Amino acid sequence: MKSPITDRLGIRVVAMLSIALLPIGLISLLQTGSVVEKAEALTRSAYLGQTVSATERQSDLIHEGFASARVLGGALVAMRTNKFTCSALMEGFIRSHPAFSLAAYIEDDGISRCNSRNMPIDARQTQTFKDFQQEPRPLMNATDMGRISGQPVMIIAHPVYEDGRYLGLVTLSLPRSNARFDPDFAGPTRPVDLITINTRGEVLLARGDVEEAAQRLPAFRDLNSQLYRQFSSFRAVDKSGTTRVYSITPIVPGVVFAVSVWPAEAGMGNSGFINRSAMAFPLLMWVVSLVVAYIAVHRLVIRHVRMLRHKMRRFGATYSHQEPGILVAGRAPRELVQIEETFDNMVERITRDTAELENNLHEKNVLLKEVHHRVKNNLQLIASIINMEVRISKDLLTKSTLRRIHDRVLGLATVHSNLYHTARLANLRADGLLEDILDQVVKSAMPADAAADVTVEVEEVILSPDQAVPLSLLATESVTNAIKYFGRQPGRDKPWIHIALLKTGENTCRFSVANSKGAPLDEEEIPLKGSGLGRQLIDAFASQLGTKPEVTEDDETYELRVDIALSRKGVVNV
């Protein structure tokens, strides 16, 4: 039976070493993961710093705009009814702050009568005015074309209150060209885009195209969350489904902030390589350790064990003495060499003992065959003496009795003759034995000049000597009785006898003798009366075989059957 692969020494060594290296691999992964996390945090902090640096100029302008809008709103409360004084204030602001293109105070009806252009401006359709109608609060919007300047501007708006009552709003227009980013990125990685947005997610300013910039913003983030009110960096999926790394720089918390968009690999820095190294290093260490351990075990143990196994198998298959000292020549460890020496000593003893046993067995077989041969000769001698007595005897009954004794003796002699010629004394082929016995019994018991049909049907059946002797005697008696009492059936010229030895199962066989009944061969002959001795002998021989004879008889046929259970050693084919 083929053993499973898990029973092999090499596989078990690899499995045990894998378990031993598992804690080291886990520690390595944990430590490397911690290093990767710290490296990623440092990388993101660096990119956050670069974002702050790139938006510094823009952030100053926006802070200045919101501060100025708040101051202007407080100053114009007293002069809001005098549009000339109010407009002069706005014009003075623009002259002192050239980065801004327009300063205006929009009353709550949506009309600006006080502005740096000193002209009425209708702002009722602007998004900024609509937002203030819903909720007056500081905000920053953008438009691709300003109503007055006609250029893309960002609008800073701040509400104006008097004693808690909302009066209107101050707006400052900051052209996008004046609030451009001032990037000075160091390192191999550059951001995909720099974007300034308000809390509604509207793009106010972008380093690239404004329309494309909107698709690069996070798809599932609440812009009013605390995450956008502080400096932070995170990984998210943009609106196009691409993973990005975002660095958030609040310019005016809760109002406007700058976002730098980096490739997904940017937030990792070299962490991708570190992560792969973290996984590869313990794996490589595990593979190298297993290879080294397997080579060591194979060189020190497995190959020597295989040599010893082949040596044992060859001895088991051929029983021939193998060359000693194979492992010594292969520089095997001392323990394995000692095992080989023990095996060599055992082989030497087994070989010597086997040779001695075979010699003794051969001598016993020769002696036993000689015994069978001498017994056969003695029985044949006795049969010859009985035959001489038959010739000189004048009494027919005496002759018949001596002839039957002669047949029995010859049957025993035939058994011993077959045992003498068989290759294995423990087994004897019954088919050949019966053919020899039946041949001589039929010739001896058949009346002179009698014509009869004799059929013999035997199969190859192996018997032990203990079964062969009673079966041969049983066959002699039953055939002799069948010849003694057979007769011609009506309509047939000759009587018949059928003798059979057939297998009925794997360990059973049946011996049967059937003869015809009818008129005797000699019409004037007086029918014989049996003494019953033959039937007594048949019962005795059947009893020695461990069975009983069965007789089936009718007006025309007489049949005797004996079922025999073969012994286990008797069914071995030779």
Side-chain angles (χ1 to χ4, degrees):
M1 182 178 179
K2 188 176 181 180
S3 60
I5 192 173
T6 54
D7 290 345
R8 296 185 178 181
L9 178 60
I11 299 299
R12 293 188 175 185
V13 170
V14 169
M16 295 302 296
L17 191 58
S18 299
I19 296 174
L21 292 175
L22 182 60
I24 299 176
L26 293 177
I27 292 173
S28 175
L29 289 175
L30 291 175
Q31 290 181 342
T32 307
S34 177
V35 172
V36 169
E37 185 177 352
K38 292 179 180 179
E40 184 175 351
L42 291 174
T43 301
R44 291 180 178 177
S45 297
Y47 289 127
L48 185 60
Q50 294 188 44
T51 303
V52 173
S53 176
T55 59
E56 183 176 3
R57 180 175 178 275
Q58 179 190 132
S59 178
D60 290 343
L61 287 174
I62 294 174
H63 274 285
E64 182 182 358
F66 274 99
S68 300
R70 185 171 57 254
V71 172
L72 290 173
L76 61 80
V77 171
M79 61 181 71
R80 68 181 187 278
T81 58
N82 189 340
K83 67 173 184 176
F84 298 104
T85 305
C86 180
S87 296
L89 177 65
M90 296 299 183
E91 291 175 2
F93 172 78
I94 293 300
R95 285 194 298 269
S96 61
H97 298 82
F100 294 89
S101 62
L102 176 66
Y105 166 63
I106 303 173
E107 299 178 19
D108 58 357
D109 60 359
I111 304 300
S112 174
R113 301 175 181 84
C114 171
N115 54 70
S116 60
R117 296 296 178 95
N118 197 16
M119 57 181 291
I121 299 175
D122 186 359
R124 288 177 295 181
Q125 300 302 319
T126 63
Q127 184 62 43
T128 302
F129 180 74
K130 294 178 180 179
D131 291 340
F132 266 75
Q133 283 185 316
Q134 295 179 3
E135 181 184 1
R137 60 184 179 85
L139 58 80
M140 188 172 182
N141 288 334
T143 178
D144 292 335
M145 180 177 292
R147 286 180 173 269
I148 304 301
S149 63
Q151 59 181 336
V153 295
M154 295 186 297
I155 301 172
I156 298 173
H158 197 281
V160 178
Y161 291 94
E162 182 182 21
D163 298 331
R165 183 172 63 89
Y166 173 68
L167 300 177
L169 67 150
V170 174
T171 63
L172 300 177
S173 297
L174 177 63
R176 285 177 175 172
S177 57
N178 294 339
R180 63 184 181 276
F181 293 100
D182 189 16
D184 185 17
F185 296 107
T189 305
R190 301 278 176 163
V192 176
D193 206 346
L194 288 171
I195 308 171
T196 302
I197 59 176
N198 58 21
T199 53
R200 291 199 302 268
E202 297 174 350
V203 177
L204 305 179
L205 182 65
R207 187 182 178 189
D209 184 79
V210 174
E211 295 297 332
E212 294 181 359
Q215 295 298 314
R216 298 191 182 102
L217 293 176
F220 308 103
R221 291 286 182 176
D222 182 9
L223 300 180
N224 292 308
S225 66
Q226 188 64 29
L227 184 66
Y228 291 89
R229 296 177 180 271
Q230 59 186 358
F231 294 93
S232 61
S233 183
F234 57 87
R235 182 185 296 270
V237 177
D238 66 13
K239 294 180 180 179
S240 65
T242 304
T243 303
R244 306 286 189 185
V245 175
Y246 297 93
S247 295
I248 306 300
T249 303
I251 297 176
V252 178
V255 178
V256 60
F257 44 87
V259 179
S260 61
V261 184
W262 303 83
E265 298 79 11
M268 299 295 293
N270 292 327
S271 61
F273 173 76
I274 296 174
N275 273 332
R276 291 190 294 271
S277 301
M279 293 299 297
F281 177 73
L283 181 62
L284 181 62
M285 180 179 64
W286 176 72
V287 172
V288 172
S289 301
L290 293 183
V291 171
V292 172
Y294 184 81
I295 292 176
V297 172
H298 184 274
R299 182 171 181 80
L300 294 176
V301 179
I302 296 178
R303 69 186 185 101
H304 301 299
V305 171
R306 287 177 178 174
M307 294 171 63
L308 186 59
R309 180 188 64 185
H310 293 159
K311 184 176 181 179
M312 292 179 176
R313 285 182 173 178
R314 287 196 301 269
F315 174 74
T318 62
Y319 288 97
S320 60
H321 186 62
Q322 305 296 317
E323 178 184 357
I326 294 178
L327 300 187
V328 176
R331 301 181 62 83
R334 183 59 187 167
E335 292 80 1
L336 296 179
V337 172
Q338 291 175 349
I339 294 176
E340 185 190 23
E341 291 175 352
T342 303
F343 174 72
D344 289 337
N345 295 334
M346 180 184 67
V347 168
E348 185 177 355
R349 289 195 300 270
I350 291 175
T351 303
R352 184 175 60 251
D353 295 344
T354 301
E356 184 176 352
L357 288 174
E358 289 180 351
N359 185 51
N360 293 337
L361 181 61
H362 178 70
E363 292 179 356
K364 290 179 180 180
N365 284 337
V366 170
L367 291 175
L368 191 56
K369 282 179 174 290
E370 184 64 24
V371 169
H372 287 299
H373 182 62
R374 291 180 179 274
V375 170
K376 186 259 302 184
N377 291 340
N378 292 335
L379 290 174
Q380 286 181 341
L381 178 59
I382 294 173
S384 299
I385 296 173
I386 295 174
N387 193 35
M388 293 174 62
E389 291 293 335
V390 171
R391 292 195 191 100
I392 64 177
S393 177
K394 302 300 183 179
D395 184 43
L396 294 178
L397 181 59
T398 302
K399 283 186 175 185
S400 175
T401 302
L402 290 175
R403 188 175 292 109
R404 298 190 68 173
I405 295 173
H406 174 267
D407 293 339
R408 292 166 184 154
V409 173
L410 282 181
L412 290 174
T414 303
V415 174
H416 287 281
S417 176
N418 278 271
L419 287 172
Y420 172 72
H421 290 95
T422 188
R424 297 183 60 179
L425 296 177
N427 297 318
L428 188 65
R429 285 190 55 169
D431 50 347
L433 173 64
L434 284 181
E435 287 176 352
D436 294 340
I437 293 175
L438 296 175
D439 184 61
Q440 67 185 19
V441 169
V442 170
K443 290 180 179 179
S444 175
M446 189 69 69
D449 300 330
D453 291 331
V454 180
T455 58
V456 179
E457 183 182 3
V458 293
E459 293 181 353
E460 181 179 341
V461 177
I462 307 301
L463 300 175
S464 65
D466 293 341
Q467 293 175 316
V469 173
L471 179 60
S472 63
L473 296 175
L474 174 65
T476 301
E477 287 297 326
S478 59
V479 172
T480 301
N481 279 351
I483 295 174
K484 180 178 180 181
Y485 296 107
F486 71 173
R488 289 191 299 269
Q489 293 177 342
R492 299 190 62 171
D493 297 334
K494 296 185 293 182
W496 55 267
I497 298 176
H498 179 73
I499 307 166
L501 178 65
L502 304 175
K503 285 185 177 180
T504 56
E506 184 178 358
N507 295 320
T508 57
C509 66
R510 172 177 291 176
F511 174 75
S512 62
V513 177
N515 61 275
S516 60
K517 294 173 61 177
L521 299 181
D522 188 354
E523 298 291 343
E524 298 180 356
E525 181 179 353
I526 300 175
L528 297 175
K529 292 183 179 181
S531 62
L533 178 61
R535 180 56 188 269
Q536 293 178 7
L537 291 175
I538 290 173
D539 291 340
F541 297 145
S543 177
Q544 293 181 19
L545 291 171
T547 183
K548 291 182 178 180
E550 297 180 3
V551 175
T552 302
E553 184 178 6
D554 55 27
D555 294 338
E556 297 182 353
T557 306
Y558 180 92
E559 181 179 8
L560 181 142
R561 296 185 305 275
V562 177
D563 291 323
I564 305 171
L566 303 176
S567 61
R568 289 191 177 273
K569 65 180 180 179
V571 297
V572 178
N573 293 330
V574 295

